[in-house]
């Protein structure tokens, strides 16, 4: 990976293109059936023009990230929440966030994905969680 670049994804909500600084090649960003991971400057991608749709754009962006996380994040996996080991069973979309459905024994709890500490090593597909956290600003 080059300095200053982060692992990000082509996601359906972005639309438009990202221009490679070195080659000048335009890389399409938009709906894709092969969710590819590429090395680009995440700040440039997130700062890109996503239109002026206000709340609807934010909802569409969150939904697009949720779809990628749900498809690519390997669940179940174990994580530690407040010193207690839990099993992350699945990922859900709520009205205003993406949550992890955690289980311990017969107890279930939804934890905002932004607050869930990922294990080391992280599960496959965790780059999508990183992209979501970056998008939110964390």
């Amino acid at each position: 990976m080059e300095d200053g670049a982060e692992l990000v994804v082509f996601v359906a909500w972005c639309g438009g293109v990202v221009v490679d600084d070195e080659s000048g090649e335009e890389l399409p960003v938009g709906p894709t059936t092969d969710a590819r991971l590429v090395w680009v400057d995440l700040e440039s991608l997130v700062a890109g023009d996503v239109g002026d749709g206000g709340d609807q754009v934010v909802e569409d962006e969150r939904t697009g990230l949720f779809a990628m996380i749900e498809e690519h994040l390997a669940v179940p996996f174990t994580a530690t929440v407040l010193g207690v080991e839990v099993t992350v069973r699945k990922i859900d979309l709520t009205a205003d966030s993406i949550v992890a459905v955690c289980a311990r024994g017969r107890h279930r709890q939804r934890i905002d994905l932004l607050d869930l500490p990922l294990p080391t090593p992280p599960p496959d597909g965790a780059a999508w969680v990183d992209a979501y956290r970056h998008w939110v600003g964390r």
Side-chain angles (χ1 to χ4, degrees):
M1 180 167 77
E2 295 180 24
D3 289 339
E6 296 182 34
L7 183 63
V8 296
V9 294
F10 282 150
V11 288
W13 52 265
C14 289
V17 295
V18 172
V19 178
D20 183 307
D21 288 339
E22 292 180 16
S23 70
E25 177 186 8
E26 290 186 350
L27 305 170
V29 180
T32 180
T33 56
D34 66 330
R36 298 181 293 151
L37 296 177
V38 296
W39 296 109
V40 297
D41 178 4
L42 190 53
E43 289 295 330
S44 297
L45 181 62
V46 173
D49 179 20
V50 293
D52 190 21
D55 290 342
Q56 184 61 46
V57 169
V58 170
E59 184 178 326
D60 291 348
E61 291 173 350
R62 183 181 300 109
T63 300
L65 282 165
F66 166 73
M68 294 297 110
I69 292 168
E70 183 182 42
E71 181 177 340
H72 296 284
L73 184 63
V75 292
F77 63 88
T78 58
T80 302
V81 177
L82 297 175
V84 177
E85 187 173 282
V86 298
T87 300
V88 176
R89 297 275 181 215
K90 69 179 197 168
I91 304 299
D92 272 342
L93 181 65
T94 67
D96 60 354
S97 67
I98 299 174
V99 297
V101 177
C102 300
R104 180 169 171 88
R106 58 188 178 88
H107 300 283
R108 302 285 180 270
Q109 175 88 34
R110 288 176 172 222
I111 298 175
D112 195 307
L113 196 55
L114 299 172
D115 298 326
L116 181 74
L118 292 176
T120 303
D124 288 345
W128 292 97
V129 176
D130 292 338
Y132 172 61
R133 289 175 173 169
H134 183 85
W135 174 78
V136 170
R138 289 196 186 177

